[in-house]
Amino acid sequence: MTTGYTVSQLRAAVADAVRAPSLHNTQPWRFRLHDGGIEVAVDPLRGLPATDPTGWGARIACGAALFNLRLALAVAGTPATVRLRPYPADPDVVARLVPDVPRRPTPTEQGLYGAIAHRFSNRAPFWPDPVPAEARWRLGEAARAEQCWLELVIGASAVNALAEVARSAHRVLERDPAYVAERVEWIRSEPAPDGVPAAAGGPQSEPQDLLPQRGFGGRNRAPGRDFEPEPLVAVLGTPGNTGTDQVVAGQALQRVLLTATDAGLGVSMLSQPIEVPGAREALRMSLGRFGTPQMVMRIGYGQPGRATPRRPVDEVLDLPVVPA
Ligand SMILES: Cc1cc2nc3c(=O)[nH]c(=O)nc-3n(C[C@H](O)[C@H](O)[C@H](O)COP(=O)(O)O)c2cc1C
């Protein structure tokens, strides 16, 4: 007989959920216990009106947090049955998790769970070593296990075509003063519980760079420290593009990121070509895929780095007020 989740199970799992990535590290999520179920919701107060006017990025981030939550609960022996967007009248609630039959975690769940604390966006140049076929296969399997596809962009001309689309999307975004103001607003030069620390922002971009780097106030680059000449670029996509599809994509994104971390690989995300509708369409056409691209990733062997800060768990929980 399974009853509902407890507040202590919620707290423990949410500490892992918040390690998920989010646009500009806004951490746009809330968690609550409701009728014994854990609910994950978009936090409308932490939106990015200029960068993410449709809420796509917030739903991707909440989906990624949901994947960590699922893993944490499974590894604790209390796996969940998940319903996505359970309340049509309240689409901000992206998922409701109720306890399933208790069981031991699988080795895959344990491996992915172990990667949560080590994953970070690695925006620095990678070593030129190629990603082995076995690791590439695992990344594709990770996306498929979460009902998404992962297209590895192979060959110089395909990578160049994608890079051209990404650079033009980057230019379109950078021409919008509201977008630029938001990006700058979320750069952190002092310790802070959210936003992108300048030290994590990667090196300043240079004219010879193939892929556009979002400017997060990073360091100037040492001479000769160019980006890898043949990056492994992957595009994650979904069959449809409803709000629910975007939550599904967020879960798949996190599964791919954790699989990469577990394989010793670094990843940085590039979403400019997803955020500009014309660029997203050009990307979809160039891949010749049905469905919608949801994220572009650069994958390779990188230097060690550090996880970025998160807000305390208590700040993202909605707990009922217990009368004194
Ligand atoms: C929807 C989404 C879009 C993102 N787009 C970019 C991007 O274009 N460039 C980038 O450098 N990082 C991007 N990121 C990564 C976030 O900036 C990063 O997750 C956040 O700063 C937290 O850092 P962490 O990934 O190291 O935990 C994106 C993340 C998400 C979830």
Side-chain angles (χ1 to χ4, degrees):
M1 168 72 194
T2 50
T3 51
Y5 285 118
T6 63
V7 171
S8 63
Q9 285 172 318
L10 169 74
R11 268 182 199 287
V14 168
D16 292 310
V18 300
R19 297 300 329 151
S22 58
L23 251 177
H24 298 1
N25 200 15
T26 51
Q27 305 164 42
W29 40 59
R30 298 208 65 80
F31 303 88
R32 69 177 179 219
L33 209 51
H34 180 235
D35 279 346
I38 295 177
E39 295 182 352
V40 184
V42 167
D43 183 346
L45 300 177
R46 298 188 72 88
L48 293 167
T51 313
D52 186 28
T54 65
W56 155 85
R59 286 185 287 276
I60 294 278
C62 286
L66 168 61
F67 186 72
N68 282 4
L69 200 62
R70 282 169 50 199
L71 276 180
L73 292 168
V75 165
T78 57
T81 298
V82 181
R83 257 181 72 202
L84 296 183
R85 294 182 122 201
Y87 310 120
D90 189 358
D92 274 354
V93 179
V94 301
R96 174 172 167 79
L97 297 85
V98 294
D100 199 343
V101 180
R103 61 163 172 80
R104 291 163 73 101
T106 64
T108 303
E109 286 168 338
Q110 281 171 320
L112 293 175
Y113 178 78
I116 290 177
H118 303 290
R119 186 209 62 82
F120 66 97
S121 293
N122 192 338
R123 301 183 180 88
F126 294 150
W127 302 111
D129 312 47
V131 176
E134 204 262 339
R136 293 172 188 235
W137 180 83
R138 279 182 66 192
L139 297 172
E141 281 298 296
R144 280 189 288 280
E146 299 298 324
Q147 289 80 49
C148 289
W149 47 262
L150 188 77
E151 185 80 35
L152 299 179
V153 182
I154 308 289
S157 64
V159 174
N160 281 332
L162 180 143
E164 180 53 46
V165 171
R167 286 196 303 265
S168 86
H170 183 73
R171 282 194 297 271
V172 169
L173 293 171
E174 289 292 325
R175 277 200 294 268
D176 174 1
Y179 163 90
V180 173
E182 247 170 30
R183 174 169 62 64
V184 171
E185 191 191 322
W186 286 91
I187 299 174
R188 301 283 182 260
S189 44
E190 302 292 333
D194 58 10
V196 182
Q204 295 284 345
S205 54
E206 289 187 9
Q208 70 274 22
D209 291 350
L210 185 63
L211 298 168
Q213 284 259 83
R214 224 165 207 158
F216 288 121
R219 303 169 302 280
N220 279 330
R221 208 179 302 172
R225 283 296 282 136
D226 266 353
F227 278 87
E228 61 284 5
E230 290 179 35
L232 175 61
V233 178
V235 183
L236 176 77
T238 39
N241 193 26
T242 62
T244 305
D245 290 319
Q246 295 166 2
V247 178
V248 169
Q251 294 180 84
L253 170 68
Q254 185 66 359
R255 190 165 184 146
V256 170
L257 295 174
L258 295 178
T259 301
T261 305
D262 190 43
L265 292 162
V267 183
S268 65
M269 287 169 257
L270 262 103
S271 58
Q272 300 96 320
I274 308 295
E275 291 161 30
V276 177
R280 196 186 227 187
E281 183 57 15
L283 184 59
R284 189 182 72 78
M285 301 280 280
S286 74
L287 296 176
R289 276 274 192 177
F290 289 108
T292 308
Q294 300 286 354
M295 185 58 77
V296 179
M297 286 167 269
R298 178 183 68 101
I299 304 169
Y301 291 101
Q303 312 214 21
R306 258 189 280 135
T308 51
R310 293 294 186 271
R311 292 181 293 153
V313 166
D314 279 334
E315 266 188 40
V316 298
L317 291 183
D318 289 320
L319 292 177
V321 180
V322 182

